[in-house]
Amino acid sequence: MGSVLVTGGAGYIGSHTSKLLLKKGYDVVIYDSLELGHKEVLKYLPGAKFVQGDIGDGQLVADTVKKYDVDSMIHFAAYASVPESVGDPVKYYQNNIVKTLTLLDAINSQGVKHVLFSSSAATFGETQYVPIDEKHPQKPTNPYGQTKLDAEYILHWYDVAFGIKSVALRYFCAAGADPEGELGEDHTPETHMIPLTLFAALGRRPDIKIFGTDYPTHDGTGVRDYIHVTDLGHAHILGLEALKNGAETTAYNLGNGKGYSVREVIETGRKVTGKTIVATESPRRPGDPAELVASSAKIEKELGWKPQFGDIETIMRTAYEWFEKHPKGYASEE
Ligand SMILES: NC(=O)c1ccc[n+]([C@@H]2O[C@H](COP(=O)([O-])OP(=O)(O)OC[C@H]3O[C@@H](n4cnc5c(N)ncnc54)[C@H](O)[C@@H]3O)[C@@H](O)[C@H]2O)c1
């Protein structure tokens, strides 16, 4: 099947995708600094090779590609917090752009021609219409989104100059956990809506904040598109197969195409957990759009992608099962 370098493979989406790649018969080489990832995931990725290193270390990347005969790369490694990027744009440009350039030069020096890239809904900025398709203007409103958009352009020019073909997948809100219960979401600090809601159910937080109740949505709270992390993983495999079959460089939006409001997520959390979840209404946060919902029609049509775990209850149940068994995240396994 080939040998895939998975940067950031010890992180949330990278580990879930690696599990699927292994099941499909790919050789998987996880390349991660472990700054934000977890070595415990390796236990659930039998057969995966692991290299602890920084994507900014071009020599180590090139040596790794050579050693494991890598022929494609999925590039997850990045910093991904919007508020942090607003306060410290340099950190984001360094990791997500400067080090990504070093990484791309290193794989290019070894003849790797296929790249899957983790892009983001944050590249779109203010929502002009929903569902957001690939033609929606991309005008990021924060440095994180800008670095993801810049990386999309960089990949375009690497195709023009070096013939590296790439697929950028613009995820909306990744959520849920491995349906087999082995892998889950462990971010510090956690900033995502679904984990925070479930932490409130588990008593790990006193409440869940509703930021803004006066949005022009059906119940006044913000609407987001949640996509199960395993469905995301499948999209990467389809993208990889398409590149191997000669596809051109392109980008796809990836979501369920259905939005859920903050109140609906909290209500689903109560239903799935059977527990009390205290919701506290707070003012809007600057920069939060009212509604972010993807059109995934392009990837459905061109690559035959279909979400298997699309409903919000399944997404929240799989996440909850993992959080219940891992009160301290992966550290619970030590
Ligand atoms: N989680 C989401 O909802 C979401 C949405 C849109 C896009 N994305 C993108 O998906 C990718 C993965 O997100 P995630 O939620 O799995 O994040 P994560 O933090 O769980 O995983 C990122 C991994 O990359 C590693 N890493 C970071 N910088 C590195 C470097 N310089 N060298 C080597 N390793 C490095 C970290 O140690 C971590 O294991 C990111 O690129 C993110 O921007 C995530």
mmCIF file with all atom_site columns, all heavy atoms in Angstrom, residues 19 32 65 73 80 82 86 89 128 133 143 152 184 195 206 231 237 244 250 257 262 311-312 328:
data_model
loop_
_atom_site.group_PDB
_atom_site.id
_atom_site.type_symbol
_atom_site.label_atom_id
_atom_site.label_alt_id
_atom_site.label_comp_id
_atom_site.label_asym_id
_atom_site.label_entity_id
_atom_site.label_seq_id
_atom_site.pdbx_PDB_ins_code
_atom_site.Cartn_x
_atom_site.Cartn_y
_atom_site.Cartn_z
_atom_site.occupancy
_atom_site.B_iso_or_equiv
_atom_site.pdbx_formal_charge
_atom_site.auth_seq_id
_atom_site.auth_comp_id
_atom_site.auth_asym_id
_atom_site.auth_atom_id
_atom_site.pdbx_PDB_model_num
ATOM 1   N N   . LYS A 1 19  ? -4.600  4.790  12.927 1.00 0.00 ? 19  LYS A N   1
ATOM 2   C CA  . LYS A 1 19  ? -5.243  3.498  13.199 1.00 0.00 ? 19  LYS A CA  1
ATOM 3   C C   . LYS A 1 19  ? -5.931  2.973  11.928 1.00 0.00 ? 19  LYS A C   1
ATOM 4   O O   . LYS A 1 19  ? -5.823  1.791  11.592 1.00 0.00 ? 19  LYS A O   1
ATOM 5   C CB  . LYS A 1 19  ? -6.249  3.660  14.346 1.00 0.00 ? 19  LYS A CB  1
ATOM 6   C CG  . LYS A 1 19  ? -6.870  2.357  14.778 1.00 0.00 ? 19  LYS A CG  1
ATOM 7   C CD  . LYS A 1 19  ? -7.673  2.491  16.060 1.00 0.00 ? 19  LYS A CD  1
ATOM 8   C CE  . LYS A 1 19  ? -8.359  1.145  16.350 1.00 0.00 ? 19  LYS A CE  1
ATOM 9   N NZ  . LYS A 1 19  ? -9.094  1.138  17.597 1.00 0.00 ? 19  LYS A NZ  1
ATOM 10  N N   . ASP A 1 32  ? 6.451   12.887 15.463 1.00 0.00 ? 32  ASP A N   1
ATOM 11  C CA  . ASP A 1 32  ? 5.793   13.823 16.385 1.00 0.00 ? 32  ASP A CA  1
ATOM 12  C C   . ASP A 1 32  ? 6.791   14.257 17.443 1.00 0.00 ? 32  ASP A C   1
ATOM 13  O O   . ASP A 1 32  ? 7.563   13.429 17.952 1.00 0.00 ? 32  ASP A O   1
ATOM 14  C CB  . ASP A 1 32  ? 4.582   13.122 17.033 1.00 0.00 ? 32  ASP A CB  1
ATOM 15  C CG  . ASP A 1 32  ? 3.591   14.092 17.653 1.00 0.00 ? 32  ASP A CG  1
ATOM 16  O OD1 . ASP A 1 32  ? 3.994   14.850 18.560 1.00 0.00 ? 32  ASP A OD1 1
ATOM 17  O OD2 . ASP A 1 32  ? 2.422   14.102 17.240 1.00 0.00 ? 32  ASP A OD2 1
ATOM 18  N N   . VAL A 1 65  ? 12.420  9.676  6.145  1.00 0.00 ? 65  VAL A N   1
ATOM 19  C CA  . VAL A 1 65  ? 11.809  9.325  4.861  1.00 0.00 ? 65  VAL A CA  1
ATOM 20  C C   . VAL A 1 65  ? 12.629  8.249  4.161  1.00 0.00 ? 65  VAL A C   1
ATOM 21  O O   . VAL A 1 65  ? 12.100  7.260  3.643  1.00 0.00 ? 65  VAL A O   1
ATOM 22  C CB  . VAL A 1 65  ? 11.673  10.586 3.978  1.00 0.00 ? 65  VAL A CB  1
ATOM 23  C CG1 . VAL A 1 65  ? 11.317  10.215 2.535  1.00 0.00 ? 65  VAL A CG1 1
ATOM 24  C CG2 . VAL A 1 65  ? 10.615  11.525 4.554  1.00 0.00 ? 65  VAL A CG2 1
ATOM 25  N N   . MET A 1 73  ? 2.834   11.667 2.543  1.00 0.00 ? 73  MET A N   1
ATOM 26  C CA  . MET A 1 73  ? 2.831   12.277 3.886  1.00 0.00 ? 73  MET A CA  1
ATOM 27  C C   . MET A 1 73  ? 1.446   12.833 4.199  1.00 0.00 ? 73  MET A C   1
ATOM 28  O O   . MET A 1 73  ? 0.778   13.405 3.328  1.00 0.00 ? 73  MET A O   1
ATOM 29  C CB  . MET A 1 73  ? 3.842   13.436 3.927  1.00 0.00 ? 73  MET A CB  1
ATOM 30  C CG  . MET A 1 73  ? 3.778   14.216 5.241  1.00 0.00 ? 73  MET A CG  1
ATOM 31  S SD  . MET A 1 73  ? 5.077   15.445 5.396  1.00 0.00 ? 73  MET A SD  1
ATOM 32  C CE  . MET A 1 73  ? 4.432   16.782 4.405  1.00 0.00 ? 73  MET A CE  1
ATOM 33  N N   . ALA A 1 80  ? -2.882  24.852 17.001 1.00 0.00 ? 80  ALA A N   1
ATOM 34  C CA  . ALA A 1 80  ? -4.248  24.984 16.476 1.00 0.00 ? 80  ALA A CA  1
ATOM 35  C C   . ALA A 1 80  ? -5.214  25.741 17.396 1.00 0.00 ? 80  ALA A C   1
ATOM 36  O O   . ALA A 1 80  ? -6.413  25.476 17.368 1.00 0.00 ? 80  ALA A O   1
ATOM 37  C CB  . ALA A 1 80  ? -4.803  23.595 16.161 1.00 0.00 ? 80  ALA A CB  1
ATOM 38  N N   . VAL A 1 82  ? -7.040  29.165 18.160 1.00 0.00 ? 82  VAL A N   1
ATOM 39  C CA  . VAL A 1 82  ? -7.321  30.499 17.607 1.00 0.00 ? 82  VAL A CA  1
ATOM 40  C C   . VAL A 1 82  ? -6.937  31.603 18.591 1.00 0.00 ? 82  VAL A C   1
ATOM 41  O O   . VAL A 1 82  ? -6.165  32.508 18.242 1.00 0.00 ? 82  VAL A O   1
ATOM 42  C CB  . VAL A 1 82  ? -8.799  30.613 17.168 1.00 0.00 ? 82  VAL A CB  1
ATOM 43  C CG1 . VAL A 1 82  ? -9.177  32.059 16.878 1.00 0.00 ? 82  VAL A CG1 1
ATOM 44  C CG2 . VAL A 1 82  ? -9.053  29.723 15.953 1.00 0.00 ? 82  VAL A CG2 1
ATOM 45  N N   . VAL A 1 86  ? -3.896  34.634 18.185 1.00 0.00 ? 86  VAL A N   1
ATOM 46  C CA  . VAL A 1 86  ? -4.124  36.091 18.152 1.00 0.00 ? 86  VAL A CA  1
ATOM 47  C C   . VAL A 1 86  ? -3.118  36.772 19.082 1.00 0.00 ? 86  VAL A C   1
ATOM 48  O O   . VAL A 1 86  ? -2.543  37.811 18.747 1.00 0.00 ? 86  VAL A O   1
ATOM 49  C CB  . VAL A 1 86  ? -5.583  36.426 18.565 1.00 0.00 ? 86  VAL A CB  1
ATOM 50  C CG1 . VAL A 1 86  ? -5.790  37.933 18.670 1.00 0.00 ? 86  VAL A CG1 1
ATOM 51  C CG2 . VAL A 1 86  ? -6.567  35.825 17.558 1.00 0.00 ? 86  VAL A CG2 1
ATOM 52  N N   . PRO A 1 89  ? 1.160   35.556 17.319 1.00 0.00 ? 89  PRO A N   1
ATOM 53  C CA  . PRO A 1 89  ? 1.180   35.124 15.909 1.00 0.00 ? 89  PRO A CA  1
ATOM 54  C C   . PRO A 1 89  ? 2.525   34.535 15.489 1.00 0.00 ? 89  PRO A C   1
ATOM 55  O O   . PRO A 1 89  ? 2.570   33.642 14.647 1.00 0.00 ? 89  PRO A O   1
ATOM 56  C CB  . PRO A 1 89  ? 0.875   36.411 15.129 1.00 0.00 ? 89  PRO A CB  1
ATOM 57  C CG  . PRO A 1 89  ? 1.071   37.543 16.082 1.00 0.00 ? 89  PRO A CG  1
ATOM 58  C CD  . PRO A 1 89  ? 0.879   36.994 17.465 1.00 0.00 ? 89  PRO A CD  1
ATOM 59  N N   . GLN A 1 128 ? -20.101 34.066 4.888  1.00 0.00 ? 128 GLN A N   1
ATOM 60  C CA  . GLN A 1 128 ? -20.921 34.890 3.995  1.00 0.00 ? 128 GLN A CA  1
ATOM 61  C C   . GLN A 1 128 ? -22.184 34.161 3.573  1.00 0.00 ? 128 GLN A C   1
ATOM 62  O O   . GLN A 1 128 ? -23.175 34.776 3.219  1.00 0.00 ? 128 GLN A O   1
ATOM 63  C CB  . GLN A 1 128 ? -20.084 35.331 2.800  1.00 0.00 ? 128 GLN A CB  1
ATOM 64  C CG  . GLN A 1 128 ? -18.934 36.204 3.271  1.00 0.00 ? 128 GLN A CG  1
ATOM 65  C CD  . GLN A 1 128 ? -18.146 36.842 2.164  1.00 0.00 ? 128 GLN A CD  1
ATOM 66  O OE1 . GLN A 1 128 ? -18.512 36.789 0.998  1.00 0.00 ? 128 GLN A OE1 1
ATOM 67  N NE2 . GLN A 1 128 ? -17.045 37.454 2.525  1.00 0.00 ? 128 GLN A NE2 1
ATOM 68  N N   . ASP A 1 133 ? -19.141 26.155 0.955  1.00 0.00 ? 133 ASP A N   1
ATOM 69  C CA  . ASP A 1 133 ? -18.518 25.251 -0.017 1.00 0.00 ? 133 ASP A CA  1
ATOM 70  C C   . ASP A 1 133 ? -17.105 25.745 -0.325 1.00 0.00 ? 133 ASP A C   1
ATOM 71  O O   . ASP A 1 133 ? -16.627 26.723 0.252  1.00 0.00 ? 133 ASP A O   1
ATOM 72  C CB  . ASP A 1 133 ? -19.396 25.123 -1.285 1.00 0.00 ? 133 ASP A CB  1
ATOM 73  C CG  . ASP A 1 133 ? -19.628 26.470 -1.943 1.00 0.00 ? 133 ASP A CG  1
ATOM 74  O OD1 . ASP A 1 133 ? -18.888 27.440 -1.624 1.00 0.00 ? 133 ASP A OD1 1
ATOM 75  O OD2 . ASP A 1 133 ? -20.552 26.572 -2.779 1.00 0.00 ? 133 ASP A OD2 1
ATOM 76  N N   . PRO A 1 143 ? -4.592  34.708 13.090 1.00 0.00 ? 143 PRO A N   1
ATOM 77  C CA  . PRO A 1 143 ? -3.333  34.171 12.552 1.00 0.00 ? 143 PRO A CA  1
ATOM 78  C C   . PRO A 1 143 ? -3.374  32.666 12.316 1.00 0.00 ? 143 PRO A C   1
ATOM 79  O O   . PRO A 1 143 ? -2.790  32.175 11.351 1.00 0.00 ? 143 PRO A O   1
ATOM 80  C CB  . PRO A 1 143 ? -2.299  34.536 13.625 1.00 0.00 ? 143 PRO A CB  1
ATOM 81  C CG  . PRO A 1 143 ? -2.891  35.705 14.325 1.00 0.00 ? 143 PRO A CG  1
ATOM 82  C CD  . PRO A 1 143 ? -4.378  35.515 14.312 1.00 0.00 ? 143 PRO A CD  1
ATOM 83  N N   . GLU A 1 152 ? -1.879  26.269 2.384  1.00 0.00 ? 152 GLU A N   1
ATOM 84  C CA  . GLU A 1 152 ? -2.564  25.784 1.163  1.00 0.00 ? 152 GLU A CA  1
ATOM 85  C C   . GLU A 1 152 ? -1.900  26.380 -0.079 1.00 0.00 ? 152 GLU A C   1
ATOM 86  O O   . GLU A 1 152 ? -1.669  25.688 -1.076 1.00 0.00 ? 152 GLU A O   1
ATOM 87  C CB  . GLU A 1 152 ? -4.056  26.167 1.182  1.00 0.00 ? 152 GLU A CB  1
ATOM 88  C CG  . GLU A 1 152 ? -4.912  25.361 2.157  1.00 0.00 ? 152 GLU A CG  1
ATOM 89  C CD  . GLU A 1 152 ? -6.411  25.581 1.928  1.00 0.00 ? 152 GLU A CD  1
ATOM 90  O OE1 . GLU A 1 152 ? -6.804  26.132 0.868  1.00 0.00 ? 152 GLU A OE1 1
ATOM 91  O OE2 . GLU A 1 152 ? -7.196  25.213 2.814  1.00 0.00 ? 152 GLU A OE2 1
ATOM 92  N N   . GLY A 1 184 ? -8.709  8.673  21.990 1.00 0.00 ? 184 GLY A N   1
ATOM 93  C CA  . GLY A 1 184 ? -9.655  9.735  22.295 1.00 0.00 ? 184 GLY A CA  1
ATOM 94  C C   . GLY A 1 184 ? -9.009  11.103 22.143 1.00 0.00 ? 184 GLY A C   1
ATOM 95  O O   . GLY A 1 184 ? -7.937  11.241 21.558 1.00 0.00 ? 184 GLY A O   1
ATOM 96  N N   . PRO A 1 195 ? -15.945 18.307 24.176 1.00 0.00 ? 195 PRO A N   1
ATOM 97  C CA  . PRO A 1 195 ? -15.276 17.864 25.399 1.00 0.00 ? 195 PRO A CA  1
ATOM 98  C C   . PRO A 1 195 ? -15.650 18.717 26.618 1.00 0.00 ? 195 PRO A C   1
ATOM 99  O O   . PRO A 1 195 ? -15.916 18.170 27.688 1.00 0.00 ? 195 PRO A O   1
ATOM 100 C CB  . PRO A 1 195 ? -13.782 18.024 25.075 1.00 0.00 ? 195 PRO A CB  1
ATOM 101 C CG  . PRO A 1 195 ? -13.694 18.042 23.608 1.00 0.00 ? 195 PRO A CG  1
ATOM 102 C CD  . PRO A 1 195 ? -14.998 18.538 23.077 1.00 0.00 ? 195 PRO A CD  1
ATOM 103 N N   . PRO A 1 206 ? -17.214 23.033 36.484 1.00 0.00 ? 206 PRO A N   1
ATOM 104 C CA  . PRO A 1 206 ? -18.487 23.317 37.158 1.00 0.00 ? 206 PRO A CA  1
ATOM 105 C C   . PRO A 1 206 ? -19.645 23.499 36.180 1.00 0.00 ? 206 PRO A C   1
ATOM 106 O O   . PRO A 1 206 ? -20.797 23.183 36.511 1.00 0.00 ? 206 PRO A O   1
ATOM 107 C CB  . PRO A 1 206 ? -18.215 24.625 37.923 1.00 0.00 ? 206 PRO A CB  1
ATOM 108 C CG  . PRO A 1 206 ? -16.987 25.209 37.301 1.00 0.00 ? 206 PRO A CG  1
ATOM 109 C CD  . PRO A 1 206 ? -16.209 24.082 36.689 1.00 0.00 ? 206 PRO A CD  1
ATOM 110 N N   . ASP A 1 231 ? -14.586 9.560  10.833 1.00 0.00 ? 231 ASP A N   1
ATOM 111 C CA  . ASP A 1 231 ? -15.014 9.948  9.478  1.00 0.00 ? 231 ASP A CA  1
ATOM 112 C C   . ASP A 1 231 ? -13.961 10.841 8.812  1.00 0.00 ? 231 ASP A C   1
ATOM 113 O O   . ASP A 1 231 ? -13.702 10.738 7.608  1.00 0.00 ? 231 ASP A O   1
ATOM 114 C CB  . ASP A 1 231 ? -16.362 10.680 9.528  1.00 0.00 ? 231 ASP A CB  1
ATOM 115 C CG  . ASP A 1 231 ? -17.522 9.727  9.813  1.00 0.00 ? 231 ASP A CG  1
ATOM 116 O OD1 . ASP A 1 231 ? -17.422 8.551  9.399  1.00 0.00 ? 231 ASP A OD1 1
ATOM 117 O OD2 . ASP A 1 231 ? -18.507 10.159 10.426 1.00 0.00 ? 231 ASP A OD2 1
ATOM 118 N N   . ILE A 1 237 ? -7.770  8.801  3.919  1.00 0.00 ? 237 ILE A N   1
ATOM 119 C CA  . ILE A 1 237 ? -7.413  7.607  3.146  1.00 0.00 ? 237 ILE A CA  1
ATOM 120 C C   . ILE A 1 237 ? -7.935  7.741  1.716  1.00 0.00 ? 237 ILE A C   1
ATOM 121 O O   . ILE A 1 237 ? -7.224  7.438  0.751  1.00 0.00 ? 237 ILE A O   1
ATOM 122 C CB  . ILE A 1 237 ? -7.940  6.347  3.860  1.00 0.00 ? 237 ILE A CB  1
ATOM 123 C CG1 . ILE A 1 237 ? -7.104  6.168  5.132  1.00 0.00 ? 237 ILE A CG1 1
ATOM 124 C CG2 . ILE A 1 237 ? -7.854  5.116  2.957  1.00 0.00 ? 237 ILE A CG2 1
ATOM 125 C CD1 . ILE A 1 237 ? -7.535  5.068  6.032  1.00 0.00 ? 237 ILE A CD1 1
ATOM 126 N N   . LYS A 1 244 ? -2.735  8.778  -5.315 1.00 0.00 ? 244 LYS A N   1
ATOM 127 C CA  . LYS A 1 244 ? -1.989  7.642  -5.903 1.00 0.00 ? 244 LYS A CA  1
ATOM 128 C C   . LYS A 1 244 ? -2.552  7.266  -7.277 1.00 0.00 ? 244 LYS A C   1
ATOM 129 O O   . LYS A 1 244 ? -1.854  6.721  -8.116 1.00 0.00 ? 244 LYS A O   1
ATOM 130 C CB  . LYS A 1 244 ? -2.033  6.438  -4.959 1.00 0.00 ? 244 LYS A CB  1
ATOM 131 C CG  . LYS A 1 244 ? -1.107  6.602  -3.748 1.00 0.00 ? 244 LYS A CG  1
ATOM 132 C CD  . LYS A 1 244 ? -1.271  5.436  -2.777 1.00 0.00 ? 244 LYS A CD  1
ATOM 133 C CE  . LYS A 1 244 ? -0.500  5.656  -1.497 1.00 0.00 ? 244 LYS A CE  1
ATOM 134 N NZ  . LYS A 1 244 ? 0.935   5.409  -1.634 1.00 0.00 ? 244 LYS A NZ  1
ATOM 135 N N   . THR A 1 250 ? -5.844  19.703 -4.911 1.00 0.00 ? 250 THR A N   1
ATOM 136 C CA  . THR A 1 250 ? -7.165  20.283 -4.695 1.00 0.00 ? 250 THR A CA  1
ATOM 137 C C   . THR A 1 250 ? -7.431  20.456 -3.201 1.00 0.00 ? 250 THR A C   1
ATOM 138 O O   . THR A 1 250 ? -6.584  20.128 -2.368 1.00 0.00 ? 250 THR A O   1
ATOM 139 C CB  . THR A 1 250 ? -8.260  19.397 -5.361 1.00 0.00 ? 250 THR A CB  1
ATOM 140 O OG1 . THR A 1 250 ? -9.496  20.100 -5.362 1.00 0.00 ? 250 THR A OG1 1
ATOM 141 C CG2 . THR A 1 250 ? -8.448  18.076 -4.627 1.00 0.00 ? 250 THR A CG2 1
ATOM 142 N N   . GLY A 1 257 ? -22.359 18.718 7.237  1.00 0.00 ? 257 GLY A N   1
ATOM 143 C CA  . GLY A 1 257 ? -23.347 19.461 6.464  1.00 0.00 ? 257 GLY A CA  1
ATOM 144 C C   . GLY A 1 257 ? -24.571 19.807 7.298  1.00 0.00 ? 257 GLY A C   1
ATOM 145 O O   . GLY A 1 257 ? -25.554 20.342 6.800  1.00 0.00 ? 257 GLY A O   1
ATOM 146 N N   . VAL A 1 262 ? -25.268 25.538 20.195 1.00 0.00 ? 262 VAL A N   1
ATOM 147 C CA  . VAL A 1 262 ? -24.659 25.280 21.508 1.00 0.00 ? 262 VAL A CA  1
ATOM 148 C C   . VAL A 1 262 ? -25.690 24.649 22.439 1.00 0.00 ? 262 VAL A C   1
ATOM 149 O O   . VAL A 1 262 ? -25.403 23.669 23.143 1.00 0.00 ? 262 VAL A O   1
ATOM 150 C CB  . VAL A 1 262 ? -24.103 26.596 22.093 1.00 0.00 ? 262 VAL A CB  1
ATOM 151 C CG1 . VAL A 1 262 ? -23.644 26.409 23.527 1.00 0.00 ? 262 VAL A CG1 1
ATOM 152 C CG2 . VAL A 1 262 ? -22.953 27.113 21.232 1.00 0.00 ? 262 VAL A CG2 1
ATOM 153 N N   . ASP A 1 311 ? -24.248 11.348 13.249 1.00 0.00 ? 311 ASP A N   1
ATOM 154 C CA  . ASP A 1 311 ? -25.219 12.009 14.136 1.00 0.00 ? 311 ASP A CA  1
ATOM 155 C C   . ASP A 1 311 ? -24.557 12.427 15.448 1.00 0.00 ? 311 ASP A C   1
ATOM 156 O O   . ASP A 1 311 ? -23.640 11.777 15.959 1.00 0.00 ? 311 ASP A O   1
ATOM 157 C CB  . ASP A 1 311 ? -26.471 11.147 14.356 1.00 0.00 ? 311 ASP A CB  1
ATOM 158 C CG  . ASP A 1 311 ? -26.160 9.931  15.188 1.00 0.00 ? 311 ASP A CG  1
ATOM 159 O OD1 . ASP A 1 311 ? -25.532 9.017  14.653 1.00 0.00 ? 311 ASP A OD1 1
ATOM 160 O OD2 . ASP A 1 311 ? -26.499 9.936  16.381 1.00 0.00 ? 311 ASP A OD2 1
ATOM 161 N N   . ILE A 1 312 ? -25.066 13.511 15.961 1.00 0.00 ? 312 ILE A N   1
ATOM 162 C CA  . ILE A 1 312 ? -24.418 14.160 17.110 1.00 0.00 ? 312 ILE A CA  1
ATOM 163 C C   . ILE A 1 312 ? -24.420 13.263 18.347 1.00 0.00 ? 312 ILE A C   1
ATOM 164 O O   . ILE A 1 312 ? -23.491 13.296 19.151 1.00 0.00 ? 312 ILE A O   1
ATOM 165 C CB  . ILE A 1 312 ? -25.082 15.542 17.381 1.00 0.00 ? 312 ILE A CB  1
ATOM 166 C CG1 . ILE A 1 312 ? -24.278 16.371 18.377 1.00 0.00 ? 312 ILE A CG1 1
ATOM 167 C CG2 . ILE A 1 312 ? -26.527 15.411 17.803 1.00 0.00 ? 312 ILE A CG2 1
ATOM 168 C CD1 . ILE A 1 312 ? -23.061 16.986 17.807 1.00 0.00 ? 312 ILE A CD1 1
ATOM 169 N N   . LYS A 1 328 ? -8.048  11.356 33.492 1.00 0.00 ? 328 LYS A N   1
ATOM 170 C CA  . LYS A 1 328 ? -6.888  12.248 33.334 1.00 0.00 ? 328 LYS A CA  1
ATOM 171 C C   . LYS A 1 328 ? -6.347  12.159 31.915 1.00 0.00 ? 328 LYS A C   1
ATOM 172 O O   . LYS A 1 328 ? -5.136  12.301 31.682 1.00 0.00 ? 328 LYS A O   1
ATOM 173 C CB  . LYS A 1 328 ? -5.784  11.848 34.312 1.00 0.00 ? 328 LYS A CB  1
ATOM 174 C CG  . LYS A 1 328 ? -6.147  12.082 35.764 1.00 0.00 ? 328 LYS A CG  1
ATOM 175 C CD  . LYS A 1 328 ? -4.941  11.742 36.616 1.00 0.00 ? 328 LYS A CD  1
ATOM 176 C CE  . LYS A 1 328 ? -5.348  11.522 38.056 1.00 0.00 ? 328 LYS A CE  1
ATOM 177 N NZ  . LYS A 1 328 ? -4.482  10.547 38.711 1.00 0.00 ? 328 LYS A NZ  1
#
